[in-house]
Amino acid sequence: MLDLLIQNGLIFDGLGTASVRGDIGIQDGRIVAMPGLGKANAPSLSTPAREVFDASGLWVTPGFIDIHTHYDLELEIAPGLSESVRHGVTSVVIGNCSLSIAIGEPQMLADIFQRVETLSHRLIEKWLQQSFSWQTPAEYLQHLQQLPLGPNVAPLFGHSALRAYVMGLERSLTIQPSKFELKIMQRITADALDAGFVGVSIDMFPWHRMSGEWQGCTIPSQHAKFKEYAMLANLCRRSDRVFQVTPNLQKLASFVDILRIGSGIGQKPLRLTVLSALDAVHDRKLWRIFSPILNFWNCILGGNVRFQTLTEPFTIYSDGPVTPLFEEFSTGAQLNGCESRQERQQLWKSEVFRRQFRQEWVNRRRKSFHRQLDLMEVVDCPEASWQGLSFAKIARHKQQEPVDLFIQALQTYDTDLRWVATGANDRLKPRLAMMQHPYIFPGFTDAGAHVRNLGYYDGALSLLKQAVATKFLSPEAAISRVTGEPARWFRLDTGVLKVGAKADIVLLNPHALNQPISPQVQISDPVLDGEPRMVKRGSDEIVKAVYINGIRVVCEGKVSDRLGRERLGSVLSPCY
């Protein structure tokens, strides 16, 4: 007898082949029968089953893969990851941007993570109270396997954690490693890859900063030189693992280094994924360079490179002067580094500080956020009449310079002022072009990070909505882009529907996909002990059911209490 029989659904195998109506039989968490897949008239299954789901009128797809998350700490507290699972995600890649907890002392890892990902102090405290140190990356994988995982987890090995562990935090932030330390890093990384990590992540992004004792200093990975990065990349090249890079937008040499690392001329290609391909508001021509660069890199230089893009407008919410958008200039970084409102008020009292903030804000050089006050809107404020208005419009009403009014508002209202701005991917045509490009993965959701600032847990559904609305991709191609395609490139044993595959399955109502991209909303999250989190809530009509390992964990928008209590997902190692 089958454990589960899904009948009469339109089956998408995740490989981009034509969909077919049919049945799927599941037993012991695996697909054991899919009669006639690939044929126009597939016979139905008549085998009895303990549970039968009539999927008439529904799409049956593999579970979605989120290739860029920062769930490393949250997994330890709430391993069900319900915010992603409720949107059809059944596999996540963690350890991105050089950040992982695979090795090192907990407080040190917390100091590396907290400010980069603007994680809640309460989340960090909860993790520290129950955390313990595993001695090796292999032991960390064993630990993950024992957690009651909801989705499957594919971990990258984070360079910042590695560097700080080998050199000590202070030395990792101030000097270069000795030859002996480099050899230790090499050995530990090789052992981690042998143990099953899917790759290594490094970070060159200059606005990723420390909290704690080294408050404001850039994280360890950014202090490495080319030789160290290349050593890690070569380890990934030899074992055919993924090498994830976040480049330095302010330093052209970092792109040259990445180009050298990712070249396949005279050597085995490296599976290199780079953040990120976006249509930036501050530079409307920038998105056009990604296609020629990737084509040259992969077709002429023999690379195996994939950029990542967000599937919807890159909209970020900010609490007054506390926002990741301010990390790119020094006075903004100082504000982010303050522990309290009183500390920020002390900064604002200085005429020199206010003048420098103004100068840096209007400086057109070296910026990734547009800083256009006519595109920055007040969401919440003690001055109720401001809500829904841009800072520029408020300034016109008050007959003030917009920058002066903005500074005054930040100083007066601090985090009682909440505002929102879209920095990239707001135009449909460029967004579709990037999501369609064969060398750009739809991803980069940052799920689990910046919980007060953004929530793109439904990235795969946003892609499907746009495919249905514009037909820029067929349903088969769109589903493949977020299932089988990233699974093949990351070498993960998931993302497809076939006999023998793990039964990670999503049932979708295709008629409900004909709606706009869902807005972000704020909830009080019990995972964060009631602190706010930005989420999406527009998918309940779309996602009829989610199965992980053959167990239904979402039904009609309701998340099962089995999620996070039972071990359903597994730790994914590269498959051959």
Side-chain angles (χ1 to χ4, degrees):
M1 177 178 283
L2 297 172
D3 295 326
L4 171 66
L5 175 59
I6 298 175
Q7 293 182 319
N8 307 316
L10 189 62
I11 300 172
F12 296 79
D13 63 5
L15 300 173
T17 52
S19 57
V20 60
R21 192 164 301 283
D23 301 346
I24 298 178
I26 295 162
Q27 192 168 22
D28 296 328
R30 294 276 172 180
I31 296 173
V32 296
M34 290 178 64
L37 186 65
K39 299 179 181 178
N41 297 304
S44 60
L45 278 171
S46 56
T47 310
R50 294 182 179 85
E51 179 186 350
V52 178
F53 193 111
D54 183 4
S56 298
L58 301 181
W59 288 358
V60 183
T61 80
F64 304 138
I65 302 171
D66 192 335
I67 62 172
H68 193 97
T69 79
H70 289 282
Y71 273 132
D72 306 64
L73 293 182
E74 191 167 328
L75 270 170
E76 303 295 319
I77 297 166
L81 304 186
S82 60
E83 277 308 323
S84 286
V85 173
R86 71 185 301 138
H87 299 291
V89 173
T90 60
S91 299
V92 298
V93 178
I94 64 172
N96 286 281
C97 301
S98 85
L99 305 174
S100 70
I101 58 172
I103 193 167
E105 185 269 325
Q107 184 61 61
M108 177 189 74
L109 296 172
D111 289 347
I112 294 173
F113 255 93
Q114 184 163 12
R115 182 163 169 179
V116 177
E117 303 306 342
T118 52
L119 294 176
S120 156
H121 286 275
R122 197 164 293 180
L123 179 67
I124 294 288
E125 288 170 4
K126 284 180 73 172
W127 176 65
L128 286 173
Q129 287 170 5
Q130 66 185 49
S131 66
F132 62 92
S133 295
W134 27 84
Q135 298 303 308
T136 67
E139 290 178 7
Y140 171 67
L141 294 184
Q142 293 168 6
H143 161 74
L144 279 181
Q145 196 66 266
Q146 299 307 310
L147 293 177
L149 297 176
N152 306 302
V153 175
L156 293 165
F157 190 47
H159 179 217
S160 280
L162 169 70
R163 197 171 208 265
Y165 172 79
V166 171
M167 300 177 66
L169 183 58
E170 180 176 353
R171 294 182 73 252
S172 77
L173 300 174
T174 54
I175 65 173
Q176 293 306 303
S178 66
K179 289 182 180 180
F180 179 67
E181 287 169 329
L182 276 176
K183 286 183 179 179
I184 295 175
M185 287 189 214
Q186 186 176 36
R187 177 182 57 78
I188 292 174
T189 303
D191 289 346
L193 296 177
D194 287 344
F197 282 79
V198 298
V200 174
S201 68
I202 69 169
D203 181 74
M204 303 177 180
F205 197 57
W207 307 320
H208 286 167
R209 303 176 189 271
M210 297 284 301
S211 62
E213 182 183 357
W214 288 87
Q215 176 78 262
C217 182
T218 52
I219 60 177
S221 186
Q222 294 177 32
H223 296 267
K225 294 191 181 297
F226 176 79
K227 180 181 178 181
E228 190 173 334
Y229 295 139
M231 176 268 291
L232 297 171
N234 286 333
L235 289 171
C236 291
R237 179 181 280 110
R238 289 175 205 162
S239 56
D240 199 20
R241 306 296 169 90
V242 172
F243 193 64
Q244 187 258 310
V245 180
T246 310
N248 185 343
L249 302 179
Q250 297 181 347
K251 191 176 179 183
L252 181 60
S254 79
F255 290 92
V256 175
D257 286 346
I258 296 169
L259 194 68
R260 289 166 62 194
I261 288 172
S263 172
I265 296 176
Q267 59 186 336
K268 183 179 179 179
L270 171 67
R271 291 180 186 269
L272 175 64
T273 180
V274 182
L275 299 180
S276 59
L278 296 171
D279 172 30
V281 171
H282 78 275
D283 186 345
R284 286 308 197 180
K285 297 179 180 179
L286 182 64
W287 73 276
R288 296 184 179 276
I289 72 170
F290 298 122
S291 180
I293 286 175
L294 284 164
N295 289 331
F296 175 76
W297 211 338
N298 288 315
C299 300
I300 305 300
L301 297 182
N304 185 9
V305 184
R306 299 294 185 273
F307 280 17
Q308 300 179 21
T309 192
L310 189 63
T311 60
E312 52 191 285
F314 194 8
T315 300
I316 296 181
Y317 288 78
S318 300
D319 295 303
V322 181
T323 169
L325 297 175
F326 279 13
E327 295 283 24
E328 65 179 342
F329 58 99
S330 65
T331 49
Q334 284 179 261
L335 290 165
N336 276 328
C338 292
E339 295 289 334
S340 65
R341 184 173 190 148
Q342 288 72 25
E343 287 184 41
R344 289 187 291 273
Q345 289 301 317
Q346 283 299 117
L347 289 177
W348 288 121
K349 286 179 181 178
S350 167
E351 176 62 32
V352 173
F353 178 84
R354 293 198 304 272
R355 187 184 312 117
Q356 185 181 350
F357 182 95
R358 192 184 200 285
Q359 290 171 347
E360 290 177 339
W361 184 263
V362 300
N363 187 351
R364 295 181 178 275
R365 297 181 59 215
R366 294 186 173 184
K367 66 178 182 179
S368 60
F369 173 56
H370 55 72
R371 304 182 203 164
Q372 296 180 32
L373 292 166
D374 58 326
L375 302 179
M376 297 163 54
E377 186 176 293
V378 175
V379 175
D380 195 15
C381 181
E383 183 62 59
S385 63
W386 287 15
Q387 294 178 18
L389 301 179
S390 72
F391 288 104
K393 189 169 186 177
I394 297 167
R396 285 195 295 271
H397 289 166
K398 290 181 166 293
Q399 297 182 331
Q400 286 183 256
E401 280 292 316
V403 179
D404 295 334
L405 176 125
F406 184 54
I407 292 172
Q408 179 184 330
L410 294 176
Q411 181 177 1
T412 303
Y413 300 117
D414 196 66
T415 56
D416 293 335
L417 170 68
R418 189 154 167 83
W419 53 277
V420 65
T422 298
N425 278 24
D426 56 321
R427 298 186 300 177
L428 180 63
K429 182 179 177 181
R431 190 168 69 241
L432 297 184
M434 288 184 289
M435 289 192 294
Q436 188 178 35
H437 198 284
Y439 299 141
I440 300 177
F441 279 136
F444 185 48
T445 68
D446 260 359
H450 310 296
V451 295
R452 281 279 291 160
N453 307 115
L454 51 85
Y456 299 119
Y457 305 94
D458 66 337
L461 292 177
S462 294
L463 170 68
L464 295 184
K465 287 179 181 180
Q466 292 166 90
V468 166
T470 68
K471 296 180 171 54
F472 84 103
L473 287 173
S474 68
E476 290 84 355
I479 289 167
S480 177
R481 295 242 67 196
V482 291
T483 57
E485 188 178 336
R488 287 194 304 274
W489 195 84
F490 278 83
R491 298 175 55 212
L492 306 178
D493 184 18
T494 187
V496 296
L497 298 183
K498 64 180 181 180
V499 172
K502 192 165 176 281
D504 299 331
I505 298 172
V506 180
L507 304 183
L508 302 175
N509 176 4
H511 304 293
L513 283 168
N514 191 19
Q515 57 180 273
I517 295 171
S518 300
Q520 299 177 74
V521 296
Q522 184 173 283
I523 66 164
S524 176
D525 191 349
V527 171
L528 306 178
D529 291 339
E531 287 191 8
R533 185 199 289 262
M534 301 303 297
V535 299
K536 294 294 192 74
R537 284 294 181 268
S539 66
D540 290 354
E541 294 180 8
I542 301 172
V543 180
K544 306 305 289 184
V546 178
Y547 291 86
I548 299 177
N549 200 33
I551 304 298
R552 185 162 56 182
V553 292
V554 176
C555 182
E556 302 283 353
K558 295 183 179 179
V559 178
S560 168
D561 60 7
R562 300 178 71 173
L563 192 64
R565 293 186 179 180
E566 300 179 24
R567 192 169 71 231
L568 304 174
S570 59
V571 177
L572 299 175
S573 296
C575 57
Y576 293 90

